[in-house]
Amino acid sequence: MFGVSGWVVVAQQQNSSSQQPPGKDTRPVPANDPHLRDLVRRIRVDPSGEVRWLLAERLALLGLQRAAGRQLQRALADQARQEGGDRVDNLLGSWLQRWPADEQARGALAERFAGRGDLPGAIRCLQDGIRHLPEAGGLWHRLGNVHDQAGRTGDAIQCLLRTAELEPANGTSRTELDHLISNAGFVS
């Protein structure tokens, strides 16, 4: 069993006004960090979910959110193979309690809800994420897709419109929006 101690610091750093755009690592990897070197050595010998989780935590504490996110995804995949989906849901829930503004983890949990057919759970998860990150186009996009799956076309269109406002270069959301609007009969 392993924990997620230290993520509160990352959440505070991430929520500060000097936050960089999500997914961008702006700090160089500190080659002289003994903890990081030790974890990299350990992962070469034992690439289990536990070691990856610790590495993700260390990378996030160093401000390397993108690399931390990749390691988190691998750790969750390892845990799903070893212990099943309930354990992954619990880990994601713990992660989001400590780091509620993590767009990747929020999206992963919502996808797990939707994959099980729990569309109301996926909608609640994404709406909670949007409360923490109102400018996260990816969350709005996912919420639009889940609303579409749930047959809530009007809500889906509103979410994809918001995505288009936040991410004008996102061609996928524009294509999905055009498809929804034409299928809803708004365009002849």
Side-chain angles (χ1 to χ4, degrees), residues 20-186:
Q20 295 296 321
K24 293 197 176 184
D25 291 339
T26 56
R27 298 179 186 172
V29 177
N32 61 349
D33 183 335
H35 298 293
L36 185 60
R37 279 198 317 263
D38 178 55
L39 287 168
V40 169
R41 253 191 313 267
R42 284 177 59 192
I43 210 161
R44 288 183 184 143
V45 176
D46 175 22
S48 69
E50 181 176 352
V51 178
R52 288 198 185 280
W53 189 273
L54 294 170
L55 180 59
E57 181 179 38
R58 188 68 189 168
L59 289 167
L61 288 171
L62 293 170
L64 302 167
Q65 273 70 30
R66 192 170 173 191
R70 285 191 302 267
Q71 292 303 322
L72 172 65
Q73 288 174 342
R74 290 177 182 165
L76 292 172
D78 288 347
Q79 289 297 315
R81 280 191 298 276
Q82 293 171 5
E83 300 180 35
D86 289 340
R87 175 74 174 139
V88 173
D89 292 347
N90 291 339
L91 289 171
L92 280 169
S94 295
W95 182 283
L96 289 170
Q97 284 178 352
R98 289 166 177 80
W99 196 6
D102 185 332
E103 183 177 353
Q104 278 185 316
R106 181 82 48 196
L109 185 58
E111 286 175 20
R112 293 189 58 77
F113 281 129
R116 288 193 303 259
D118 183 3
L119 298 179
I123 290 170
R124 281 190 307 273
C125 178
L126 291 167
Q127 287 173 334
D128 189 43
I130 288 170
R131 274 192 290 281
H132 292 284
L133 295 165
E135 304 299 314
L139 292 177
W140 283 101
H141 187 142
R142 283 184 169 135
L143 183 58
N145 288 338
V146 174
H147 278 309
D148 184 35
Q149 289 174 344
R152 299 170 68 178
T153 305
D155 291 334
I157 289 172
Q158 286 180 335
C159 291
L160 291 174
L161 282 169
R162 182 67 177 138
T163 303
E165 290 173 10
L166 294 169
E167 298 177 353
N170 186 337
T172 304
S173 65
R174 289 192 178 278
T175 302
E176 291 173 8
L177 181 59
D178 290 343
H179 178 73
L180 280 174
I181 290 172
S182 59
N183 284 346
F186 296 127

